[in-house]
């Protein structure tokens, strides 16, 4: 991640990462009179008469204050309140994305803990809970303890308890896998800050004996009688021991928990731990010891880190959003130990459940099983909300700190309705791509946006980019835009040693279409032809192009050089439209002007198979201006015929038509007005009757509906080729490169996983029907 990129991310458009969004209409004079004077007086009077009605008439019950004074921000130290604001905004974003909680980030301009305490106490009428963040130790302990005693809303210091809760779940499962009893293990901590002390205390409540814990800080082991650099919180773990260094402490230890700095532990130290050591190296971004360093000396170790590129990521986002969700939904007066324990046990139990294929697909895996490399759930597993929030809420009820009672089944339904799966789709694809990156050729290699996107692909580990163009031009443009070209390949079509091979390949493919050898050589000067030849000849896995060209200019070379898959016969373009709480796929939006019924069925079949690779079960609507024969014309009957053909080709698909768009998107209408429909859920794959309808519809949805459009995803090509929208921005390019890599990965999986392998051609299939 480059400095300039991070700064641009925060500065572009509206500065910052969060905004206040109204939840009620304000479009006319009547709305104004209700939202403000005189109508607003009525809820004010109700709240005055019954203070609890503040939860009924205002947003307090869904509002969290993220409070800091900037004295311990990340690994940056005491940088001040204002400098810590980007972190607090980021925290607010996570609250919203993972638990649908609204946030005010509040930076207090004082290092006096009593000022922070008074500030938070004065917030109690405004917010439903307070998340303390990035406050130095030991002030953070004093502040949280005081607020919990004096306030009647949940107060939670995530830096302390987040790591404790999540690593506690990992610990329980690691002990089960290695056959240990929790009251007999020896645990060593590297670090004695807020997170380490809170985690050690949480482990004690889980069953670890306090006398079996050794804690170390910069001065070495914290032992009974040690003088200097001590405080009451460290003193709780000052045990009698002859160990004075972390190396001494780790001899025969069962568990290591690192909350300190990179390199704090060596392989030699790990070698002397007990059999099947449990190693939680949680320093970020570089852990105390890297997993491969552990494996080099102990192949029996269980390892967790704080990083997403290794198994068993201990990420606080598995905790705080869902803890506050559960706490606020029962109007808990505090976050007590019972609620923290419930969160830990819920995470530990969820990891033992069968992982749905859709969740595994988000992380680029075919299957995930509980074991040494899957101790705790993935952060983007949507089930975490449905397990942790109810567990926390019920623990609050059972421990008598809740002011509202919940029905657990109904509560889970409410949680499911809060968040759709859309938020995780693109992140899931990126995870899949980065698990096995492939080479992607970009014919427009001299375009600054392409170069920037290529750099991001390298930084994220998504792809191995190949830029086409003159090296001196690409290097000059990259330098002007402060873009690193490290790990980015550059190929000049004019001077490439592969050029003659590609000329002959193109000529052999097109010689019966009237193309001469000299004409083939001339066409290879066009970077799209050159890039298509790279993919066709196996020198690149996928092609992404089109940011500066019209669609036909990009797709024509790919069709001539690569062509459609022989089992597909119909190439089509599909857009993935990502809304806040849903994802909708639209096809065909870019290629076929007036497809036949057979082609529509093939488009629907191919779209459904691609959608499944994204971990989504397709519900397909074949669209028209008619509902199930309400209008009988050749164009509506074509769509009805296409639906019939598609059902016959794959009876397992949920598909119906012809139907209108509003019918397809309204399950209640389908149930009440068309109970015979085979589409029993809201459609998420929309197949349009012609190009005009599809192209117009996706653009309206994107511009008026606020959807993020990813596409066009070119479906039906022999090899991965994906076309960008003219003028696409950098993130669009990165998204499309991600899709291209996943597409390439799928084509190297067993035949059944690719839409067309092992099946008769569309023409043959439909002729049988």
């Amino acid at each position: 991640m480059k400095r300039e990129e991070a700064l641009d991310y925060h500065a572009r458009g509206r500065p910052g990462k969060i905004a206040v969004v109204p939840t009620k209409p304000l479009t006319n004079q009547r709305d104004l009179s209700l939202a403000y004077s005189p109508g607003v007086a009525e809820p004010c009077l109700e709240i005055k008469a019954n203070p609890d009605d503040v939860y009924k008439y205002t947003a307090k019950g869904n509002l969290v204050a993220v409070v800091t004074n900037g004295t311990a921000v990340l690994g940056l130290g005491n940088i001040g309140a204002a400098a810590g604001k980007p972190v607090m905004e980021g925290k607010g974003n996570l609250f919203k994305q993972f638990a649908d909680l609204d946030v005010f980030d509040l930076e207090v301009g004082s290092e006096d803990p009593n000022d922070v305490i008074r500030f938070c106490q004065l917030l109690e009428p405004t917010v439903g809970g307070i998340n303390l963040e990035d406050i130095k130790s030991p002030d953070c302990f004093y502040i949280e303890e005081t607020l919990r005693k004096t306030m009647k809303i949940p107060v939670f210091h995530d830096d302390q308890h987040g790591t404790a809760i999540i690593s506690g779940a990992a610990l329980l499962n690691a002990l089960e896998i290695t056959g240990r009893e929790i009251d007999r293990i020896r645990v060593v901590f590297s670090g004695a800050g807020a997170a380490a002390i809170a985690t050690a205390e949480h482990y004690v409540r889980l069953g670890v004996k306090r006398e079996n814990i050794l804690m170390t800080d910069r001065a070495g082991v914290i032992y009974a009688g040690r003088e200097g650099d001590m405080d009451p919180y460290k003193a709780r773990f000052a045990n009698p021991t002859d160990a004075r260094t972390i190396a001494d402490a780790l001899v025969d230890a069962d568990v290591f928990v690192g909350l300190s700095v990179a390199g704090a532990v060596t392989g030699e130290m790990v070698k002397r731990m007990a059999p099947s050591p449990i190693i939680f190296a949680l320093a970020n971004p570089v852990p105390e010891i890297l997993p491969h360093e552990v494996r080099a000396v102990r192949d029996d170790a269980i390892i967790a880190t704080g990083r997403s590129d290794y198994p068993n990521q201990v990420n606080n986002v598995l905790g705080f959003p869902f803890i506050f969700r559960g706490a606020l939904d029962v109007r808990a007066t505090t976050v007590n130990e019972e609620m923290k324990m419930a969160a830990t046990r819920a995470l530990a139990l969820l990891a033992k459940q069968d992982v749905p294929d859709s969740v595994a697909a988000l992380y680029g895996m075919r299957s995930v099983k509980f074991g040494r490399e899957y101790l705790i759930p993935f952060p983007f597993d949507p089930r975490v909300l449905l397990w942790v929030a109810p567990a926390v809420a019920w623990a609050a009820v059972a421990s008598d700190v809740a002011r509202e009672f919940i029905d657990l089944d109904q509560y889970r339904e409410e949680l499911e309705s809060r968040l759709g799966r859309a938020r995780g789709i693109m992140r899931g694809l990126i995870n899949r791509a980065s698990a096995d990156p492939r080479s992607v050729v970009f014919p427009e290699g001299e375009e600054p946006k392409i170069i920037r996107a290529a750099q991001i692909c390298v930084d994220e580990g998504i792809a191995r980019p190949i830029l086409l163009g003159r090296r001196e031009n690409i290097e000059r443009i990259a330098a002007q835009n402060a873009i690193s070209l490290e790990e980015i390949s550059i190929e000049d079509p004019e001077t490439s040693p592969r050029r003659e091979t590609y000329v002959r390949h193109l000529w052999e493919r097109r010689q019966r279409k009237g193309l001469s050898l000299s004409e083939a050589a001339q066409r290879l000067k066009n970077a799209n032809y050159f890039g298509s030849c790279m993919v066709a000849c196996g020198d690149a896995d996928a092609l992404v192009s089109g940011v500066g060209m019209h669609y036909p200019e990009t797709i024509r070379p790919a069709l001539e050089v690569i062509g459609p898959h022989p089992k597909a016969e119909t190439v089509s373009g599909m857009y993935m439209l990502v809304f806040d709480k849903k994802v909708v796929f639209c096809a065909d939006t870019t290629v076929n002007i007036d497809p036949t019924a057979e082609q529509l069925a093939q488009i629907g079949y191919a779209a459904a198979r691609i959608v499944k690779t994204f971990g989504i079960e397709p519900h397909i609507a074949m669209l028209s201006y008619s509902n199930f024969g309400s209008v009988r014309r050749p164009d509506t009957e074509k769509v009805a015929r296409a639906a019939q053909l598609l059902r016959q080709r794959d009876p397992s698909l949920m598909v119906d038509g012809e139907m209108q768009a509003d019918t397809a998107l309204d399950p209640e209408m389908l149930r009440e007005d068309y109970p015979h429909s085979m589409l029993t859920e809201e459609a998420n794959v929309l197949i349009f009757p012609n190009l005009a309808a599809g192209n117009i519809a996706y653009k309206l949805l994107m511009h008026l509906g606020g959807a993020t459009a990813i596409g066009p995803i070119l479906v039906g090509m022999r090899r991965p080729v994906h076309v960008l929208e003219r003028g696409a921005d950098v993130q669009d390019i990165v998204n499309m490169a991600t899709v291209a890599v996943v597409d390439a990965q799928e084509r190297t999986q067993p035949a059944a996983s690719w839409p067309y392998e092992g099946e008769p051609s569309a023409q043959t299939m439909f002729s049988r029907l």
Side-chain angles (χ1 to χ4, degrees), residues 170-183:
L171 176 68
L172 292 177
N173 285 341
L175 294 178
E176 180 177 325
I177 290 167
T178 58
R180 288 178 166 98
E181 297 296 329
I182 195 167
D183 61 348

mmCIF file of all heavy atoms in Angstrom, residues 170-183:
data_model
loop_
_atom_site.group_PDB
_atom_site.id
_atom_site.type_symbol
_atom_site.label_atom_id
_atom_site.label_comp_id
_atom_site.label_asym_id
_atom_site.label_seq_id
_atom_site.Cartn_x
_atom_site.Cartn_y
_atom_site.Cartn_z
ATOM 1 N N ALA A 170 -10.340 -18.776 19.526
ATOM 2 C CA ALA A 170 -9.299 -19.569 18.875
ATOM 3 C C ALA A 170 -8.608 -20.486 19.878
ATOM 4 O O ALA A 170 -8.267 -21.638 19.568
ATOM 5 C CB ALA A 170 -8.284 -18.646 18.201
ATOM 6 N N LEU A 171 -8.371 -19.980 21.088
ATOM 7 C CA LEU A 171 -7.713 -20.779 22.116
ATOM 8 C C LEU A 171 -8.558 -21.999 22.472
ATOM 9 O O LEU A 171 -8.035 -23.133 22.557
ATOM 10 C CB LEU A 171 -7.468 -19.929 23.364
ATOM 11 C CG LEU A 171 -6.855 -20.680 24.555
ATOM 12 C CD1 LEU A 171 -5.429 -21.107 24.242
ATOM 13 C CD2 LEU A 171 -6.884 -19.814 25.814
ATOM 14 N N LEU A 172 -9.857 -21.808 22.714
ATOM 15 C CA LEU A 172 -10.715 -22.931 23.071
ATOM 16 C C LEU A 172 -10.661 -24.023 22.008
ATOM 17 O O LEU A 172 -10.569 -25.222 22.317
ATOM 18 C CB LEU A 172 -12.160 -22.451 23.265
ATOM 19 C CG LEU A 172 -12.427 -21.538 24.468
ATOM 20 C CD1 LEU A 172 -13.883 -21.095 24.471
ATOM 21 C CD2 LEU A 172 -12.079 -22.236 25.774
ATOM 22 N N ASN A 173 -10.716 -23.623 20.752
ATOM 23 C CA ASN A 173 -10.723 -24.616 19.681
ATOM 24 C C ASN A 173 -9.353 -25.257 19.487
ATOM 25 O O ASN A 173 -9.256 -26.452 19.178
ATOM 26 C CB ASN A 173 -11.224 -23.985 18.390
ATOM 27 C CG ASN A 173 -12.731 -23.773 18.415
ATOM 28 O OD1 ASN A 173 -13.436 -24.402 19.212
ATOM 29 N ND2 ASN A 173 -13.234 -22.896 17.569
ATOM 30 N N ALA A 174 -8.297 -24.487 19.663
ATOM 31 C CA ALA A 174 -6.948 -25.053 19.543
ATOM 32 C C ALA A 174 -6.700 -26.078 20.650
ATOM 33 O O ALA A 174 -6.065 -27.120 20.421
ATOM 34 C CB ALA A 174 -5.904 -23.944 19.593
ATOM 35 N N LEU A 175 -7.188 -25.797 21.850
ATOM 36 C CA LEU A 175 -7.031 -26.749 22.951
ATOM 37 C C LEU A 175 -7.798 -28.033 22.668
ATOM 38 O O LEU A 175 -7.326 -29.143 22.962
ATOM 39 C CB LEU A 175 -7.524 -26.123 24.259
ATOM 40 C CG LEU A 175 -6.718 -24.935 24.796
ATOM 41 C CD1 LEU A 175 -7.358 -24.391 26.063
ATOM 42 C CD2 LEU A 175 -5.274 -25.328 25.052
ATOM 43 N N GLU A 176 -8.980 -27.894 22.072
ATOM 44 C CA GLU A 176 -9.757 -29.091 21.722
ATOM 45 C C GLU A 176 -9.019 -29.939 20.684
ATOM 46 O O GLU A 176 -8.950 -31.169 20.812
ATOM 47 C CB GLU A 176 -11.129 -28.674 21.194
ATOM 48 C CG GLU A 176 -12.005 -29.850 20.798
ATOM 49 C CD GLU A 176 -13.388 -29.419 20.346
ATOM 50 O OE1 GLU A 176 -13.923 -28.442 20.905
ATOM 51 O OE2 GLU A 176 -13.933 -30.066 19.431
ATOM 52 N N ILE A 177 -8.455 -29.291 19.688
ATOM 53 C CA ILE A 177 -7.757 -30.014 18.628
ATOM 54 C C ILE A 177 -6.525 -30.733 19.165
ATOM 55 O O ILE A 177 -6.207 -31.857 18.743
ATOM 56 C CB ILE A 177 -7.381 -29.040 17.496
ATOM 57 C CG1 ILE A 177 -8.648 -28.583 16.743
ATOM 58 C CG2 ILE A 177 -6.377 -29.666 16.513
ATOM 59 C CD1 ILE A 177 -8.422 -27.406 15.825
ATOM 60 N N THR A 178 -5.824 -30.098 20.099
ATOM 61 C CA THR A 178 -4.588 -30.697 20.629
ATOM 62 C C THR A 178 -4.830 -31.547 21.875
ATOM 63 O O THR A 178 -3.880 -32.099 22.436
ATOM 64 C CB THR A 178 -3.551 -29.608 20.950
ATOM 65 O OG1 THR A 178 -4.110 -28.681 21.897
ATOM 66 C CG2 THR A 178 -3.151 -28.860 19.689
ATOM 67 N N GLY A 179 -6.075 -31.661 22.332
ATOM 68 C CA GLY A 179 -6.395 -32.532 23.447
ATOM 69 C C GLY A 179 -5.896 -32.045 24.790
ATOM 70 O O GLY A 179 -5.530 -32.838 25.652
ATOM 71 N N ARG A 180 -5.889 -30.734 25.018
ATOM 72 C CA ARG A 180 -5.411 -30.176 26.279
ATOM 73 C C ARG A 180 -6.574 -29.742 27.170
ATOM 74 O O ARG A 180 -7.651 -29.380 26.681
ATOM 75 C CB ARG A 180 -4.516 -28.956 26.021
ATOM 76 C CG ARG A 180 -3.134 -29.264 25.432
ATOM 77 C CD ARG A 180 -2.435 -27.935 25.213
ATOM 78 N NE ARG A 180 -1.013 -28.035 24.962
ATOM 79 C CZ ARG A 180 -0.453 -28.009 23.750
ATOM 80 N NH1 ARG A 180 -1.229 -27.923 22.677
ATOM 81 N NH2 ARG A 180 0.863 -28.080 23.618
ATOM 82 N N GLU A 181 -6.315 -29.726 28.462
ATOM 83 C CA GLU A 181 -7.251 -29.172 29.438
ATOM 84 C C GLU A 181 -6.825 -27.737 29.740
ATOM 85 O O GLU A 181 -5.653 -27.466 30.006
ATOM 86 C CB GLU A 181 -7.240 -29.995 30.722
ATOM 87 C CG GLU A 181 -7.689 -31.437 30.551
ATOM 88 C CD GLU A 181 -9.134 -31.547 30.112
ATOM 89 O OE1 GLU A 181 -9.934 -30.651 30.502
ATOM 90 O OE2 GLU A 181 -9.464 -32.497 29.390
ATOM 91 N N ILE A 182 -7.791 -26.818 29.725
ATOM 92 C CA ILE A 182 -7.457 -25.403 29.840
ATOM 93 C C ILE A 182 -6.843 -25.056 31.196
ATOM 94 O O ILE A 182 -6.013 -24.139 31.300
ATOM 95 C CB ILE A 182 -8.701 -24.519 29.570
ATOM 96 C CG1 ILE A 182 -8.271 -23.064 29.333
ATOM 97 C CG2 ILE A 182 -9.721 -24.635 30.685
ATOM 98 C CD1 ILE A 182 -9.369 -22.199 28.749
ATOM 99 N N ASP A 183 -7.200 -25.788 32.233
ATOM 100 C CA ASP A 183 -6.671 -25.441 33.554
ATOM 101 C C ASP A 183 -5.260 -25.991 33.803
ATOM 102 O O ASP A 183 -4.687 -25.794 34.877
ATOM 103 C CB ASP A 183 -7.620 -25.918 34.650
ATOM 104 C CG ASP A 183 -7.814 -27.430 34.652
ATOM 105 O OD1 ASP A 183 -7.392 -28.086 33.662
ATOM 106 O OD2 ASP A 183 -8.396 -27.953 35.615
#
